[in-house]
Structure formats: C-alpha cells, structure tokens
Amino acid sequence: TDANDCVGQGDDDCAYAFDGECDEPGIGTGACAIGSDTADCRGGTAASQCPYVNDGECDEPGIGTGLCDPGTDTADCGGQTGTVGPNSCAYANDGECDEPGIGTGFCAAGSDTTDCQGAPPITLGPDSCMFANDGECDEPEIGTGACQTGTDTTDCGQ
C-alpha cells in the first residue's frame, strides 16, 4: 500500500530521522542504515551526536571537557571557548568532591557541583587521593602521608 516508499531502503526510514542528528554510520552514530536519514545528514556532519549533547555543557576537546569528539556537541558548543559546565568533570557523580580548593583538584572549579554541593572546604571521598589504587597506602600515620586521612581507603584497607 506504500510501494513508492517501501522499495528498498528509502530516504528517512530510520527511526531517528528528523531528530536533528545524523545517525548514519560513517557520518553520525551509526544507529541508522546508510541513506536512511538523509534529512538529518545533509552536509555530512555529525552535529550534536555526543551523548552529553543538550546538557548545557560544551564537551569538546579544546573547548570543554573533551568528552566528545570535535563537531559532535555543536548545540552546546556554539561559539564557546574554554567553557566547562557543572558536572562536566570526568569524576562527577562519584560521591567525591574533586574541585580545587574543596577536594582533590582533579576537576575545574564549578564542574563537579553535584558532589561538591554544601561540601565543607576539605571534603574528600574514599579514594579521592591522587595515589589511590596504586597498591600503596598513602595516608598519614599509615603510609607515606601523601594523602589526607580517608582518601585512599582501597589501598589502606579501611
């Protein structure tokens, strides 16, 4: 009953067509067959393909966190330079506040707000020591003292 559209793999037959993202292999995510998402793939860009797209954070290398490939987070990165948004830290949502001046300093200031909300100035979670999981107990009075108490629990058997 729809012979014109059903001959072979027609244009825009992909379930993700018309969502603003190019989902063909070699162009976008690969969720669609080649030639089945032409509406979104015009121009051959992989715009907005990053899993962190539309979260208000620019996650491309050289601009934000580097969690996304260049050109795949265009919605959030429009013209931005050096922008890192809340919770764009690689260690966000691990229960440890990893911002400088608050925790380990692994994350840029303001990029781990979930873990750092209401955190006292020196709140560190288990294994937030930079030497954690290296097989050496680096807590004061137990090992080298390179880490604060309670921040290397895996190595220190606590």
Side-chain angles (χ1 to χ4, degrees), residues 43-71:
T45 64
S48 303
Q49 290 298 304
C50 164
Y52 301 100
V53 73
N54 298 318
D55 64 356
E57 300 166 13
C58 179
D59 298 296
E60 295 187 7
I63 302 177
T65 62
L67 295 172
C68 306
D69 293 329

Side-chain angles (χ1 to χ4, degrees), residues 23-49:
D23 297 294
E24 294 184 10
I27 302 177
T29 62
C32 306
I34 296 172
S36 65
D37 190 15
T38 55
D40 293 327
C41 294
R42 286 192 186 105
T45 64
S48 303
Q49 290 298 304

Side-chain angles (χ1 to χ4, degrees), residues 3-17 24 31-38:
N4 289 334
D5 291 334
C6 294
V7 175
Q9 182 69 51
D11 293 348
D12 303 318
D13 286 339
C14 165
Y16 300 100
E24 294 184 10
C32 306
I34 296 172
S36 65
D37 190 15
T38 55

Side-chain angles (χ1 to χ4, degrees), residues 96-98 102-104 115 118-125 128:
E96 301 170 10
C97 179
D98 297 295
I102 302 177
T104 61
D115 293 328
I122 311 291
T123 297
L124 297 173
S128 52

